[in-house]
Amino acid sequence: MRTGAENLYRATSNARVRATVALELSYVNSSLQLLKEELEELNCSVDTELPEREGTTVPMIPLGLKETKELDWSTALKELISGHFGEDGASYETEIRELADLRQAVRTPSRSESGLELLTAYYNQLCLLDARFVTPARSLGLLFQWYDSLTGVPAQQRALAFEKGSVLFNIGALHTQIGARQDRSCPAGTSQAAESFQRAAGAFSLLREKFSRAPSPDMSPASLSMLEQLMAAQAQECVFEGLSLPAPAAPHDFMAQLRLAQEAAQVAAQYELVHQTMTRPPVCNYVPFPWTALVHVKAKHFRALAHYHAAVALCDSPPAEAELLALEQVFLGPLPPSEPRGPVLLQEREERRKLGKAHLKRAILGQEEALRLHAAGRALRRLDLLQAVLGQALRCSLTRYSELDLEDDFFEAAEAPDIQPKTYRRLELRAPSFSRVKVADIFHRLGPLSVFSAKNHWRLVGPVHVTRGEGGFGFTLRGDSPVLIAAVIPGGHAAAAGLQEGDYIVSVNGQPCKWWKHAEVVAQLKGVGDEGVSLQVVTLLPSAEPPSTGDRRPALRGLLRNQKDCSWGTSVPARASPKPLLGWSRKAKRDKSGGGLSAAAPP
């Protein structure tokens, strides 16, 4: 069904037909996501390590992963390796197959830390591919196709940046699924869920900052901002749940209840902001309706919980003199020092009872409104669980209200004031830590990235035979991987053989040495006898000249490059200009390898 809809979506130019097909694709995508979640739950139901849920918690919103089709890397990479790097592309079949297998595996990652590591490893490999094979003027020539996570509509681009952005999106989405599956009836579960949602928000924030010209709605700045807000609100909800778990002592402590009231108000305020974002265009055109409905219900539910906990604080335990100021701030907020402070609120127990009753009334009205909104949004998933939570909260408020409602109480309480939102644990976004997953460059055999990348052009020279003279070979070396000829002594044997300053040594006596350290090359040269040594070198060319081989080379003293290290342990030159889609910045540091060690001196 989806394949036929895709073909029609691409073939037609009629706007009405495209809108209808996009709607059908959205329905198909939602059904597929629900089916995958149900299958995952069935698989996890027999997992003995998964803890049993003891409490009833409000369901969270997990984000479905972006899907993609299989991709044939072979032709494009072989042509690039043969044409630009001057090597036999067919000899890299193993590396290309390893890359294809890795991409195939990330299409269905497990909902666990190992799944996150798999996605991160592939993302790091894409960064290495970007550094080695992609230039601002030329892409890999591959068409990357991914399905929109929210609508199911396919989107495609030839930029490797789209592949990187889609994988980063899935890292954030997988964090949401891990967070939604946590058992939040225990402190460890709420803490783990909050951390997962923080990491999801960090991934979407990073993607929003680095990605532009999104080809699909789910990766547009507006959608990513909405997802960031949603995950931050869900993380804050987990903080509230952790605080509201039954404590071993003093569950109705005055200050504890005030903190819960303000935390609940903070969660409600964040969900209200998310709901406003979801109902504004363009996000409202493609965000799933059950999400909007659930966020609206949660905003009402937590606003009612804030009034409930404020009422409990007022009625259950009389506050001490020092706690009355905290009670004022819950209702009035912190007053500026210059503003005169009136009399302390609620000195008498009867005043506290009446105000508590007013807060319970607002709590009941809010919970009834939440139940009404829940009943109107039957498309919500796990409705019975949500209804149970809302019904339980309403029953608690009604019970409290009946305890405070005296028979001879004819006093009509004034409207209860709003609860000032405040959190005692401000959560921060946590960007993905790509460096924690170490990967080896799949195309390591091509050589260090500082030289052997599509951004550079070079000429392969040699083998060049150099004999030892009285003063040695007549050149000095510097740097590692590859080792650089830093200087050539005029009139020496190296100069006579045609070696020049700036050449990189890639072979010594037929042994490839692109990855050799400085000390290894020096040791090999010191072991050479009077017969001399056979060297093969490459000379970097201006970008206008194509790669070539030969013996005659211009003097290129101005092309000496500073070798820099990136986080994967290989060298990458600084970018000449930002990428049009993903401008990923890499921190680099200068190579501090021992320089100036001479291979000219005899052993």
Side-chain angles (χ1 to χ4, degrees), residues 301-378:
H301 171 63
F302 283 100
R303 184 65 66 186
L305 282 181
H307 289 288
Y308 172 80
H309 286 290
V312 172
L314 288 166
C315 302
D316 274 11
S317 54
E321 187 69 26
E323 295 173 333
L324 288 176
L325 179 60
L327 186 62
E328 276 189 302
Q329 293 185 356
V330 170
F331 299 134
L332 304 178
L335 294 176
S338 59
E339 186 172 331
R341 184 175 295 277
V344 178
L345 294 174
L346 310 173
Q347 296 281 5
E348 301 297 331
R349 179 181 180 87
E350 181 63 17
E351 292 178 345
R352 293 195 301 272
R353 185 189 71 82
K354 291 178 180 179
L355 184 57
K357 184 178 177 181
H359 279 289
L360 283 174
K361 184 176 180 180
R362 286 195 66 176
I364 292 170
L365 293 175
Q367 286 151 358
E368 289 177 343
E369 176 66 10
L371 279 169
R372 186 191 66 79
L373 292 172
H374 165 267
R378 284 296 177 181

Side-chain angles (χ1 to χ4, degrees), residues 80-131:
L80 188 55
I81 291 172
S82 300
H84 186 87
F85 293 84
E87 299 194 24
D88 182 12
S91 66
Y92 283 83
E93 283 279 2
T94 301
E95 286 85 350
I96 294 174
R97 185 165 54 252
E98 180 182 352
L99 177 63
D101 291 344
L102 179 59
R103 189 181 191 274
Q104 181 66 20
V106 301
R107 295 176 65 186
T108 54
S110 61
R111 295 184 182 181
S112 62
E113 190 65 29
S114 61
L116 290 171
E117 291 179 358
L118 181 64
L119 285 168
T120 304
Y122 181 57
Y123 180 88
N124 287 343
Q125 286 293 346
L126 290 177
C127 292
L128 290 169
L129 285 176
D130 189 16

